[in-house]
Amino acid sequence: MSDCRREWNREDELPVYLAGPISTGPNQRKSFGMFSSVEGAFESKTIDFDNYAVGRQGSRTPRSGSRERLFDTRKPVGQTPTEAREETLTDSPRDGDDANTGVEVRTSSRDESPDGKNEKLLIKGGRVVNEDQSLYADVYIEDGIIKQVGENLVVPGGVKVIEADGRMVIPGGIDVNTCLMKPFLGIKPVDDFLQGTKAALAGGTTMIIDHVTPQPGDSLMEVFEHWQEAADKKACCDYSLHVDIPEWNETVKHELELLVEEKGINSFQVYMAYKDLYQMSDSQLYKAFSFLKHLGAVVLVHAENGDLIAQEQRKILGMGITGPEGHPLSRPEELEAEAAFRAITLSNRVNCPVYITKVMSKSAADTITQARRKGSLVFGEPISASLAADGSQYWSKNWAKAAAYVTSPPLSPDPTTPDHLHTLLACGDLQVVGSAHCAYSTSQKAIGKDDFTLIPEGTNGVEERMSIVWDKSVAMGKMDENQFVAVTSTNAAKIFNLYPRKGRIAVGSDADIVIWDPDSVKTISARLQQSASEYNIFEGLECCGGPALVLSQGRVVYEDGNLQAHPGTGRFIPRKPFPDFAYQRVKFRNQGKQGVTRGMYDGPVHDVACTPKYITPSPSARTSPTSNQPPPIRNLHQSNFSLSGAQADDNVPRRSGHRIVAPPGGRSNITSLG
Amino acid sequence: MSYQGKKNIPKITSDRLLIKGGRIVNDDQSFHADIYMEDGLIKQIGDNLIVPGGVKVIEAQGKMVIPGGIDIHTHFQMPYRGTTTVDDFAQGSKAALAGGTTMVVDHVIPDPGNSLLEAYDQWRQWADEKACCDYSLHVDITHWSDSVQQELECLIKEKGVNSFQVYMAYKDYYQMTNSELYEVFTFLAERGGIAQVHAENGEIIAEEQARMLQMGITGPEGHVLSRPEELEAEAVFRAITIASQTNCPLYVTRVMSKSAADIISQARKKGNVVFGEPITASLGTDGTHYWSKNWAKAASFVTSPPLSPDPTTPDYLNTLLSSGDLSVTGSAHCTFSVAQKAIGKDDFTQIPEGVNGVEERMALIWDKAVTSGKMDENMFVAVTSTNAAKILNLYPRKGRIAVGSDADLVIWDTDSIRTITAKTHNSAAEYNIFEGMELRGAPLVVICQGKIVLEDGNLHATSGVGRFIPCSAFPDFAYKRVKARKQLAVLKAVPRGMYDGPVSEYSMSRGGTPSASARTSPTKQPVRNLHQSGFSLAGNPAACGPPAPDDIPIRPAGRRIVVPPGGRSNITSLS
């Protein structure tokens, strides 16, 4: 990050006639595309350039040339496939300089199917790292399932053997937060399920959970099916779906029931922000939480105070601030902390687990930490962006760069935030890492060029997620490798009830396995990424650690920088409600409160005006306590003392929960004072 | 003490008074000095004062002389559903004086939709008729509209009110939305008012109440079960967030729970301008009585936010009060008779809310905080009197013993022990929530407006002598920091070149935050003023789209495009 900053400043110092779009001249523009963020960023992308007639200008850099222009001195480990625009995506292995990659694949029989599919696989000599322990063992895989784990396995012949050479063999990452189809003003992110899952696999993530985002008024079920259809066609790795609840009414409740019972969805997101669009009031949230608890679903919350944001946005626009810096200015981190606090309060009242998506600031993370100390059932999900970048770039003079960072809640301008979040992640106060990958192209971001509230929100991160956590947490000594597995994969699988099918290397689990190379160093750049966006918010960041080999469903999909993803191979993984990790404690806490059994109050009652004020309307219609009714025949057995005269409450039916019994030691005198 | 004749006590005491041999305790220091008062003002302080003859002399004999207490939160004569609280201004202020409090600040509560000014006048009339001590008023903002804004303006500028309470609870009645709170706070911050909040999450309370009633819990325990302390803490957190966004000083009335107090003290550590007010009830008792089998007793504790069932709460709040994290103490004195409370005998949501405490306030803090060693006598003066005077901008007229201040003094007896009981208290309520509590420390002599109103256990309060004390806006105690921050917190836009790349097609039909001002579609290219921008575009002008005549506003005035020193940044290429 510092590198790119410096480079930028250098350009700032250029004389006026050399800086600025005009000075770059038509030649330069030709070679980069008009506002191409990174030289060569359009290479190997599936963008349809014909859509951008303005920037095309005919001649793009020849692909072979772009390789030579890498400005990082280190040798990149992950190399972009050269021809990604083709739908088949099978890349020939790159020739050349990967002598030290360490993972060696040899096949004892040469009848490997051309698409890389292999029924039987043996990973030899690796160190299997699960969330709880690490051990040296071989892993034998058949039909996409782990069949044996141990030493000296007896395996059939003709098995493809992967030599891990003592490297870490970890469960494939699970990215719990992606938005690959989130519509914004009718546009969709440039990374769809194909592009997005390719990026995921390249980063060592073998499963994503995407957010289905219906608009208010849409049928949740229809939108869900639309998502599933698109994903089934394109996804290269297993996936599951969260469904966002954009509004609260009876139809929604019915659809939620169907989704949980028939479609295998157990997590739903509600919004405390986006006023007049997705935002729910506290009462609605209470009802939604209660209902989702009843269904056994995990409640995801986008925690920001939408009312205040709307006010602040108006204020900031009124001050003439229209650029991306208005975004963090109008969404200060307090608003995030406040909403997180409120969400936790609500969940405590309802006694349901709550999951805060996108923890972006120290104060929100601290709020979650404190609540966990008090015993609240709350999970926090920092994302790649908040773990590796800060919000200072919103003030960049480069509009496109500043806009690339726009996401909600915004990145905190406090540069110590990533470090703090890593610390909390390492000690278990935050549980899972998502990416909130939602990549928009610069021209899409430019919708908000005159009004920051219209900038589509989203950053990249699905590909960088695992490496960032490794580099910033494990390589820094904050976290051990087991915790690394927990936060990148296992905890997510547990919270969303995928465990132990996903998130663990064990017999019977899915063969989603990554051989992790802790020593590889990679410089993140938009030129090398799988994502189709021109910007990478981590541009120039050097990350230690990366996948050397990725297995998805028992097939090698990524090896030494070569991606062999197959669109349409990803399966939808249904999830059952009531995940133990979240709901076991809830079950024990589900004990009802009881009223105090008292004698009936028989003193005088003050006359009240008929129009009740100052009271909350009670749901049940009850008779006025003052109206005098003829006394019914009292059942003297029910109450063991007789009251003198007609009682105002005689007409009130005695509720079953309000039993009148004779307490041991006699009844207290209910009317005398003291 | 010496009298010149028993019959004309009021006449003589009204003129001149000398307190000899006392130890004056202010919030900053204690020292031995005599005090000479004339016409309700302190005229001289010092040793060996030269005073005219015929002065009544009170021998303090080394006892503490403190500024009279200021109870910053009372509800005397509060109308509630056609009835009023049993303590009117006469009864209430009498109880105040008996406890060593010489000034009360009452809450004006207009009904939603009614005029604030009318309600204010009504309260003034009631108080002027009956009050026995000086008083001031808070006005509660129960709804929000343009006419309310005008009335607030008038109240601040002409009527001497500088503090206004808003409600985050009482859904569908007093409760305000976050947006309204934001607007109220912004309004008050501009005009120098103090925003007071009743901090509880009304929406969740409503849901919880419905749930409790459904479960068959109808007694007073339902009150505390439906209003758990988290809801208080949550609302406090939210109020602080809104206040810090709007840069408005915040005053949280009725801090009843540990968690709410913790939130306030954390916010203060972060630098927020926020004041917390624990009340007599939360400092002296806890919420275990809600489960009392005696309905009348349980109901007498009903107040909002409720007393915390955690019995360690009073101790904790006293500690924070001593450390300065909580700033002032009130009583929230709002007493209903048992018959009035019984309106809610079958439904706890109907129980009128309020507890006593104006009389017990000073003694209780002395007993719980000073005799237990948490607090010194100067801090005692600060939390019972001085801080309140500072927040209300009445300092040093009130809240301090100094030359020129009002002669509201108390000679405090640190050793006397009293047992609180409803039989002897001055309130008209049949119940006292502190019943049976033994408190060390009591006022020996109370002087209000230069007149002795309490001595030898006899109260000589006179109805109608209380004056309204106007409070002016922008109290330094709260606003000095706010003003400094306002100057610092000027936000600036980043001057950038215009983005000139392609813009995706999109539809405005749905989605997106509706922006406040109607603005032209950003996809239209404005006519460029090349002089203003300083550089020309090489692009094809035809691609810029048809120039619209109303394009000018697209460049806001605040967003000047200048040539920055060192050259313009390239807005389109990556760093």
Side-chain angles (χ1 to χ4, degrees), chain A residues 4 8 11-14 16 19-22 24 34-38 185-187 215 218 275 277 281-283 286-287 305 307-308 311-316 319-325 329 332 334-335 337-338 341-342 345-346 348-349 370 394-402 442-444 446-447 449-451 454 535 539 593-598 601 604-606 608-609 612-616 618-619 622 625 649 655 658 668-670 672-674, chain B residues 80-81 83 111 170-171 173-174 178-179 182-183 201 203-204 206-213 215-221 225 228 230-231 233-234 237-238 241-242 244-245 263 266 272 290-295 297-298 338-340 342-343 345-347 349-350 353 430-431 491-496 499-508 510-513 515-516 519 522 535-536 554 556 558-559 563-564 566-575:
Chain A
C4 77
W8 174 248
E11 190 167 14
D12 258 355
E13 290 153 19
L14 289 175
V16 183
I22 183 177
T24 55
M34 179 150 177
F35 55 97
S36 151
S37 9
V38 176
L185 299 175
I187 57 163
Q215 300 300 309
D218 289 355
K275 195 181 180 191
L277 185 65
S281 71
D282 288 356
S283 300
Y286 187 97
K287 293 194 177 91
N305 190 319
D307 287 340
L308 294 189
Q311 294 280 358
E312 291 281 331
Q313 284 179 336
R314 204 172 304 156
K315 187 174 97 184
I316 302 266
M319 292 165 73
I321 299 177
T322 57
E325 69 275 16
L329 289 176
E334 292 189 276
L335 304 193
E338 187 280 317
F341 196 99
R342 189 147 42 100
T345 305
L346 276 159
N348 283 350
R349 290 333 305 153
Q370 280 164 22
Y394 290 119
W395 279 264
S396 164
K397 295 248 178 182
N398 181 336
W399 189 91
K401 183 173 182 189
T442 301
S443 69
Q444 289 174 329
I447 289 167
K449 74 190 173 64
D450 296 310
D451 179 352
L454 294 175
Y535 253 105
E539 188 72 36
K593 300 185 179 78
Q594 287 190 336
V596 174
T597 45
R598 289 190 184 86
Y601 175 83
V605 178
H606 201 280
V608 287
K613 304 168 177 171
Y614 191 133
I615 51 153
T616 318
S618 59
R622 46 185 68 243
D649 59 281
R655 272 179 240 55
H658 192 151
S668 58
N669 182 343
I670 58 160
S672 79
L673 313 178
Chain B
Y80 173 79
R81 297 175 70 182
T83 163
D111 278 334
Y170 305 111
K171 193 184 177 193
Y173 196 54
Y174 295 147
N178 293 337
S179 308
Y182 185 96
E183 281 167 21
N201 188 319
E203 302 210 2
I204 306 184
E207 299 288 339
E208 292 276 317
Q209 284 179 336
R211 191 164 70 96
M212 290 299 151
L213 289 172
M215 290 164 71
I217 298 177
T218 57
E221 70 275 14
L225 289 175
E230 319 184 70
L231 303 192
E234 188 279 317
F237 197 104
R238 188 148 42 101
T241 305
I242 301 174
S244 111
Q245 284 313 300
I263 301 278
Q266 276 166 27
N272 293 50
Y290 290 117
W291 280 267
S292 165
K293 294 254 179 181
N294 180 335
W295 189 92
K297 183 176 181 190
V338 173
Q340 287 171 327
I343 293 168
K345 75 190 173 64
D346 295 313
D347 178 354
T349 63
Q350 315 266 345
E353 294 168 353
E430 306 101 310
Y431 248 105
L491 302 175
K492 281 187 189 136
V494 175
R496 291 190 183 89
Y499 174 83
D500 54 359
V503 177
S504 272
E505 290 295 319
Y506 66 101
S507 61
M508 271 305 280
R510 141 190 317 176
T513 316
S515 57
R519 47 185 66 243
F535 66 94
S536 69
I554 205 152
R559 189 166 157 202
V563 181
R568 173 180 310 284
S569 57
N570 182 342
I571 59 157
T572 47
S573 77
L574 179 70
S575 57

Side-chain angles (χ1 to χ4, degrees), chain A residues 124-163:
Chain A
K124 276 198 90 157
R127 191 154 52 91
V128 175
V129 179
N130 273 323
E131 156 224 33
D132 50 350
Q133 59 174 352
S134 313
L135 68 157
Y136 284 94
D138 300 343
V139 181
Y140 174 64
I141 297 156
E142 206 178 303
D143 298 329
I145 306 277
I146 297 172
K147 293 288 184 190
Q148 296 179 58
V149 178
E151 288 177 82
N152 307 321
L153 301 179
V154 180
V155 293
V159 168
K160 180 175 168 181
V161 178
I162 298 170
E163 290 290 348

Side-chain angles (χ1 to χ4, degrees), chain A residues 428-577:
Chain A
D429 282 342
L430 298 172
Q431 289 73 37
V432 278
V433 182
S435 68
H437 188 89
C438 184
Y440 290 102
S441 69
T442 301
S443 69
Q444 289 174 329
K445 291 262 183 188
I447 289 167
K449 74 190 173 64
D450 296 310
D451 179 352
F452 64 87
T453 62
L454 294 175
I455 300 174
E457 293 168 353
T459 54
N460 62 303
V462 68
E463 186 174 352
E464 299 81 4
R465 190 179 66 101
M466 308 259 295
S467 292
I468 283 171
V469 177
W470 184 270
D471 182 70
K472 303 255 175 190
S473 279
V474 188
M476 298 289 285
K478 289 190 177 189
M479 195 186 266
D480 59 25
E481 55 193 24
N482 303 98
Q483 179 73 358
F484 172 73
V485 169
V487 299
T488 54
S489 176
T490 313
N491 287 349
K494 284 180 176 171
I495 292 173
F496 296 108
N497 225 358
L498 295 163
Y499 190 81
R501 179 175 176 187
K502 302 278 182 192
R504 187 169 183 87
I505 296 181
V507 174
S509 298
D510 280 1
D512 287 352
I513 291 175
V514 172
I515 297 181
W516 191 259
D517 181 0
D519 302 321
S520 79
V521 176
K522 178 181 174 184
T523 303
I524 295 173
S525 164
R527 276 167 308 174
L528 305 173
Q529 69 185 4
Q530 294 292 331
S531 163
S533 63
E534 311 94 316
Y535 253 105
N536 190 316
I537 60 165
F538 310 109
E539 188 72 36
L541 186 72
E542 270 187 16
C543 265
C544 233
L549 183 134
V550 179
L551 288 179
S552 171
Q553 301 175 20
R555 282 181 305 227
V556 177
V557 290
Y558 178 86
E559 195 181 340
D560 302 334
N562 301 321
L563 195 64
Q564 299 169 325
H566 305 276
T569 53
R571 300 164 297 182
F572 174 74
I573 310 285
R575 293 172 291 140
K576 289 204 175 72

Side-chain angles (χ1 to χ4, degrees), chain B residues 113-135:
Chain B
N114 287 6
S115 156
L116 268 58
L117 281 171
E118 278 171 24
Y120 167 85
D121 290 338
Q122 178 68 63
W123 252 262
R124 279 292 303 274
Q125 192 195 332
W126 285 337
D128 283 340
E129 268 169 25
K130 294 185 174 170
C132 311
C133 65
D134 287 349
Y135 71 95

Side-chain angles (χ1 to χ4, degrees), chain A residues 84-281:
Chain A
R85 292 182 71 177
E86 291 173 30
E87 282 299 303
T88 59
L89 296 165
T90 34
D91 297 321
S92 55
R94 211 181 91 249
D95 54 335
D97 50 2
D98 45 359
N100 60 347
T101 46
V103 177
E104 182 188 333
V105 180
R106 59 188 159 79
T107 32
S108 42
S109 62
R110 306 300 303 172
D111 56 351
E112 190 182 346
S113 53
D115 58 356
K117 182 159 176 154
N118 219 339
E119 295 300 319
K120 295 166 185 172
L121 258 176
L122 179 67
I123 301 175
K124 276 198 90 157
R127 191 154 52 91
V128 175
V129 179
N130 273 323
E131 156 224 33
D132 50 350
Q133 59 174 352
S134 313
L135 68 157
Y136 284 94
D138 300 343
V139 181
Y140 174 64
I141 297 156
E142 206 178 303
D143 298 329
I145 306 277
I146 297 172
K147 293 288 184 190
Q148 296 179 58
V149 178
E151 288 177 82
N152 307 321
L153 301 179
V154 180
V155 293
V159 168
K160 180 175 168 181
V161 178
I162 298 170
E163 290 290 348
D165 285 344
R167 279 165 204 262
M168 287 168 58
V169 179
I170 59 173
I174 300 175
D175 189 339
V176 283
N177 188 349
T178 62
C179 297
L180 300 179
M181 276 174 65
K182 184 182 182 180
F184 178 83
L185 299 175
I187 57 163
K188 297 246 161 115
V190 289
D191 283 347
D192 58 2
F193 273 103
L194 169 62
Q195 226 33 77
T197 51
K198 271 169 62 189
L201 288 172
T205 296
T206 54
M207 175 168 183
I208 60 162
I209 309 184
D210 199 69
H211 277 274
V212 178
T213 46
Q215 300 300 309
D218 289 355
S219 154
L220 298 189
M221 192 57 87
E222 280 170 23
V223 179
F224 165 78
E225 279 162 1
H226 174 59
W227 242 259
Q228 202 181 10
E229 196 183 322
D232 281 340
K233 241 180 256 166
K234 293 182 175 172
C236 312
C237 66
D238 287 351
Y239 70 96
S240 190
L241 296 170
H242 304 295
V243 177
D244 294 6
I245 306 175
E247 60 188 338
W248 191 249
N249 55 38
E250 288 303 314
T251 3
V252 166
K253 280 166 79 167
H254 180 66
E255 290 191 310
L256 290 180
E257 257 171 3
L258 283 181
L259 283 169
V260 170
E261 283 162 14
E262 294 170 16
K263 298 292 181 183
I265 302 294
N266 74 357
S267 50
F268 300 91
Q269 173 155 313
V270 293
Y271 289 89
M272 299 170 82
Y274 304 108
K275 195 181 180 191
D276 301 329
L277 185 65
Y278 301 136
Q279 187 178 331
M280 288 193 195
S281 71

